[in-house]
Amino acid sequence: MKISILGTGLMGAALTEGLINASHDVIVYNRTIAKTEPLSALGAKVAATPVEAITASDATIIMLSDGVALREMLLNDVTRVLLKGKKILNGSTTTYSEIVEIACVVAEYGGDLAEMTIMVSPDPLRNKQGRFMIGCKTIDESYWTEILLSIGESVNRLGEVGEASKAEAPMIFASIFIPVTVAYAAAVAAKMNMPQELSERYINMAIPTAEYVLPNMLARDYSKCMATVDSYASAVTTAIKTAESVGVPTKILKDIQDLFRSAAERGF
């Protein structure tokens, strides 16, 4: 199939590589064109605009930072009039209300918008080990399942559009709090000159899943980066919107967002 990927950050690039490895023809677009060059070298065609990518493909997968970016790309005056008959899968992080509202507008213009949550890090996507949750119309389930199983091991449809975002919401909160908790524990241990062997042992005992990130944190090793600092800041924005919608306090989330933004400004 001809599949376009709009947004070639860490996950978008990994998704593109997986689709190329699965023998699909892939068209990529990214606002920063330099990020598409490694994918072009692997065989992807680079589109100059989102419109070019969408019109040239059978299916479009969008991998942006959040619902605001998704809306700006998909529903602007130029793009939305070309959505008729197009099948689009959103992989951007959105709230339930955002994706449902955007899907309704896409439908008004004759297109079909589905959504997915990716349950693995970038490397498994490259190696046909992806795991996905999707929200879509019943009639579109087999269409998206076939595409995603070409790069993955499992696809679970949770229901209509919005259900995947709903299921992803608690995972977003966990993905925000766990690395911050581990980082605070590691920083205190380092500043108190604790032997690394001891600090690793006690932090791993206290914090589930710390073992997956702590060694790289202590070694300042970013070669296995799962996401950028900016993408975490965007995820916190989505978490704040979700928390506000259900009446959960947001101050701690806003403080964490300040940490991520500060880290980005300092070049981390």
Side-chain angles (χ1 to χ4, degrees):
M1 294 183 67
K2 289 184 178 180
I3 302 173
S4 61
I5 304 293
L6 309 185
T8 57
L10 288 172
M11 296 301 284
L15 193 64
T16 299
E17 290 183 42
L19 290 167
I20 291 172
N21 292 339
S23 300
H24 294 289
D25 294 328
V26 184
I27 304 159
V28 294
Y29 166 81
N30 197 80
R31 184 174 57 183
T32 305
I33 196 167
K35 290 186 176 182
T36 65
E37 292 171 358
L39 302 172
S40 175
L42 294 176
K45 178 182 176 182
V46 178
T49 65
V51 167
E52 179 185 337
I54 293 171
T55 55
S57 59
D58 302 311
T60 298
I61 301 175
I62 302 180
M63 302 293 296
L64 302 178
S65 57
D66 55 28
V68 173
L70 174 65
R71 176 183 292 277
E72 290 176 352
M73 177 175 284
L74 204 54
L75 301 183
N76 63 72
D77 292 342
V78 176
T79 307
R80 62 186 178 185
V81 297
L82 301 173
L83 294 177
K84 186 174 182 179
K86 292 297 181 180
K87 291 190 177 295
I88 301 167
L89 181 65
N90 174 57
S92 315
T93 301
T94 62
T95 66
Y96 171 83
S97 59
E98 282 176 329
I99 193 63
V100 170
E101 182 181 347
I102 293 171
C104 287
V105 178
V106 170
E108 289 174 7
Y109 284 87
D112 287 306
L113 179 65
E115 60 166 347
M116 71 171 171
T117 296
I118 300 173
M119 306 292 291
V120 297
S121 58
D123 281 343
L125 283 180
R126 297 184 177 95
N127 300 312
K128 296 188 178 183
Q129 297 173 329
R131 290 184 286 120
F132 309 92
M133 299 188 300
I134 62 173
C136 65
K137 297 176 181 176
T138 303
I139 196 172
D140 291 329
E141 180 178 1
S142 61
Y143 181 85
W144 291 116
T145 297
E146 183 177 353
I147 291 174
L148 295 175
L149 282 181
S150 71
I151 57 171
E153 298 175 341
S154 67
V155 179
N156 294 317
R157 177 180 177 267
L158 302 183
E160 297 295 316
V161 172
E163 294 304 313
S165 289
K166 192 183 293 184
E168 186 181 22
M171 293 187 290
I172 292 173
F173 283 83
S175 71
I176 291 167
F177 279 101
I178 288 174
V180 171
T181 305
V182 175
Y184 261 80
V188 170
K191 290 178 182 294
M192 295 181 71
N193 297 314
M194 280 185 64
Q196 184 169 324
E197 180 182 349
L198 281 179
S199 62
E200 283 196 60
R201 181 190 308 166
Y202 295 138
I203 294 170
N204 284 335
M205 286 172 57
I207 306 172
T209 74
E211 62 189 283
Y212 297 107
V213 294
L214 183 59
N216 292 333
M217 280 188 178
L218 294 174
R220 308 298 198 275
D221 179 4
Y222 300 99
S223 62
K224 296 180 180 179
C225 178
M226 290 181 61
T228 65
V229 174
D230 286 335
S231 69
Y232 268 102
S234 295
V236 177
T237 298
T238 301
I240 290 170
K241 292 178 182 178
T242 299
E244 289 174 341
S245 72
V246 296
V248 172
T250 60
K251 184 181 183 303
I252 190 171
L253 292 167
K254 293 175 181 178
D255 289 340
I256 289 174
Q257 188 171 57
D258 287 342
L259 285 174
F260 284 126
R261 287 175 173 169
S262 175
E265 289 170 0
R266 294 165 64 185
F268 291 107

